[in-house]
Each structure stands twice: as structure tokens, then as C-alpha cells.
Amino acid sequence: MKIIHEQVQALRGLTLHTIETKKFKTNTFILRLKQKISEDIVTFRSILPYVLQNSAKKEIRKKLDELYGATLNISIDKKGEFHIITLRIEAVNEKYLPTKTQLIEHVLNLIFYIVMNPWRNQDSFNEDVIQKEKQVLKQRILSVYDNKIRFANKRLIEEMCKEEPYRIHAYGNMIQIDQVTSSSLYDYYHQAILEDQIDLYIVGDVNHEKNVEIVDKLLQYEIRNNVVKLDFESKQKEVKQVNYVTDEQEVEQGKLHLGYRTYTNYGNSDYYALQVFNGMFGGFPHSKLLTNIREKESLAYYISSRYESHKELLFLMAGIEIQNYEKTLHIINKQLESLKRGDFSKTDFQRTKTLIKSQLLGILDDPKGIVEMFYRNVVNDCQKTMEDWLLGIDNVSESDVIKMAHKIKLDTVYFLKGRNK
């Protein structure tokens, strides 16, 4: 018997995913629209979901109240070289209500009302809403510059992926915001709703066959014949020499961010070895980076590493004193070399695997985490179950970690430092 099971059904141009579980007293509904990221559309996509939500704000709020205090959240994200729009509603399971009601159908009807039938004035959206959301998006972009860790990560990716769509930030850019109009946004909305890959997830104590029946009925008048098949592409960029980039701003603490090419994507058999490698390199408190750079040498206020599941990249982030740049970089490189030599204990190796498995099982405690786990399969065009993950981690050997350490190549070193220092 599977730990957690997903049932999938293609329906009228979207894919319905039902995850039946009695673990939660609420049902979670997550709709995701996926498209390849490009500079031509990213700013439109960053504004669009908030316009859909706020064009009929009062009506939506009233409907949420009628759904026993259901909550609605909108977000935008980038997964590899795909741009993702997410709409999430959490509502109480109708089985716990004192009176019988078709709450699931009402929630789905609200979701499709927001996305498929938004308020509009003929062939354009409300101009006031557009202008407000354009200002909000500008503030979101500015907030990246204000947060120096996020800014440094943004600059690292821009420098590391200059020739790749991954360089594009999920929020778009300032220049394009002013070019968005109520009519041009509506034109793009029409394109997205016809061409985006749409996945609907329902998590909770629900019935898949019933969900199929409801969705099929609610979408009977929708036509989505132009859905573009979005294939996952794995492009291997050879690192010929390390790229060193330095920016200067009014900062007291330096931000040292490194980008590595892993040449390993989510669908590869050695993906599990990458997870273990990252845990031993900088992913956990007992890792090489934290033990040797933060604790032993006291060179970093923070330091960690993480891998990008959808883009074959691994990132290292550290906050350091500006004068310690050369020393810290030298010791970071030594940690990778030590993993290449197999210089790690069996205790740390087994502890890493145990912590990873604990994190994986922890996903089951959160409906959003469950959806993220299954949506990785959609983004990467492959199929992995929780059982695959757990078994994959169990099967990673010490030699697999050593091979992964040799496979990884440093691509870009980015350093944000203070002026005149």
C-alpha cells in the first residue's frame, strides 16, 4: 500500500489530481498554470493573477465567507525555466459541517469563476485595478533589492545563466510594467487561459470519482484546444572557467554566493545522491560548510547550500565580513575537495540520510507540501512516488556521494561588498 496516492484524470484541457487522505479536517484546492518563462510574458503573468483576484474583490470575499471562512491565496513562482501561477483555497471539509452542503462544488465553482470568468469590461480589465497592481508589482521588485540576500541570489543567477531563460526573475522587470495596459493584459489572459498547462489538485478526505464529475460539469462550456505541450528540457552547459563577479553597495556585511552546475536533474537516477551530497556539503547543521566555516573558523554569519530540483544547479549562500572573502572562498573550495576524497564519517553519512528521509515524511503533514511533491513530477515530466524517494535515499552509497562531488563544477562566484572596502 502506498504511503500517499495520487489519482489523475485529464478533463477538458486541464489535469485533475486527487490526493485522498483522512489526515486533515480541511480540503485544499490548488490550481496551477504553467508556461515557459520568457521576457515577453513574465511581467504580464506577474500582474495577471492579482488582477483576476481583485477585479471582483467584494464578490470573492463574500463567497469565501459563505464557504465557512475559506481562505484564498495567490502566488507566482519560477520552477526551472517555467513560470507558475498558483491559486490556493483552503476550506473546511463538508463532512464536519452541521448541515449537508455541496461545499466542494461551491469551492471549485469559485476557482473557475476567478480564473475562467473574471470581471471585465468587454475586451479589457478594470483600469483602476490594473494601475494598483502595477504599483504593487513595482514594490515587490524593489523589495528584492532591499533584501540583500535575495538581491545577491538574483545577481548570481543573472550572471550564471546569461544565455538561459532561467536568468529571468519570476516578477519580471520594471521597464515592462509601464507597458502593460488593461487591454494588452486581457489579450494575454486570453492567450494564457487557452495555452497554459493547467493542473488542479484536491487534497483531503475526498472522492476522486466525485471530483471528476464536478469538474467535468463545471467546465462543460470551456474550450481549451490550444494547450501547448510543455516538455522538460535538460541543457548541459559546460563550465570552461569560473566566472567571478563583484558588485558594490552600501552594505556592512558581504554576501558571498556561489553557483555550481550539478549535471543532475530530478529524473536522473543519481538525483538521490545529489540530495545526500547537498546535505553533507551545506544542507544540515553537521555539514562541511557549517562545521568548518561557521563553527570552527567563525567566518560566516550564515552559510548553507541548496539545490534547484528543476535546473541542475546548486547554490551556496554565505554572509561574511568583507575582508574575509579570499579566506572564506578558499575554505569553501576545500570542503568540496574533501568530499571528493571521501573525507567524511559514516556517522555523518547516515545522519544525513536519516534527516533527508525525515524531511520527506514531514511533507505528508502539510497539504501544500504534498502538492509540491507531486507537482515536481509535472514540471520535470517524470514520475516519482514517496516510496521511490525513500528507497532512493536508502540506496545511496558513500561512493555515490564521492562520484557526485566529482561531477559538480563551480560555475560562478558572486560577491556583494561595501564601497571602498
Side-chain angles (χ1 to χ4, degrees), residues 50-64 113 119 129 132-133:
Y50 299 99
V51 171
L52 297 181
Q53 177 187 20
N54 292 320
S55 291
K57 190 173 184 179
K58 290 182 180 179
E59 291 82 354
I60 293 171
R61 185 180 299 148
K62 181 182 177 182
K63 290 179 182 291
L64 290 170
Y113 167 74
W119 185 96
V129 174
K132 179 181 177 182
E133 294 306 323

Side-chain angles (χ1 to χ4, degrees), residues 71-99:
T71 59
L72 167 66
N73 294 98
I74 300 283
S75 63
I76 54 173
D77 195 9
K78 182 176 71 172
K79 295 184 182 300
E81 295 184 346
F82 294 109
H83 194 269
I84 315 294
I85 296 172
T86 299
L87 183 152
R88 174 169 53 89
I89 290 183
E90 290 189 16
V92 65
N93 191 309
E94 59 193 43
K95 296 178 181 180
Y96 295 100
L97 296 175
T99 57

Side-chain angles (χ1 to χ4, degrees), residues 241-263:
Q241 64 179 26
V242 179
N243 182 29
Y244 293 88
V245 180
T246 300
D247 284 340
E248 295 184 359
Q249 288 187 7
E250 297 296 336
V251 295
E252 294 298 324
Q253 184 189 107
K255 308 299 178 188
L256 178 59
H257 287 214
L258 279 65
Y260 300 82
R261 301 276 174 177
T262 68
Y263 304 103

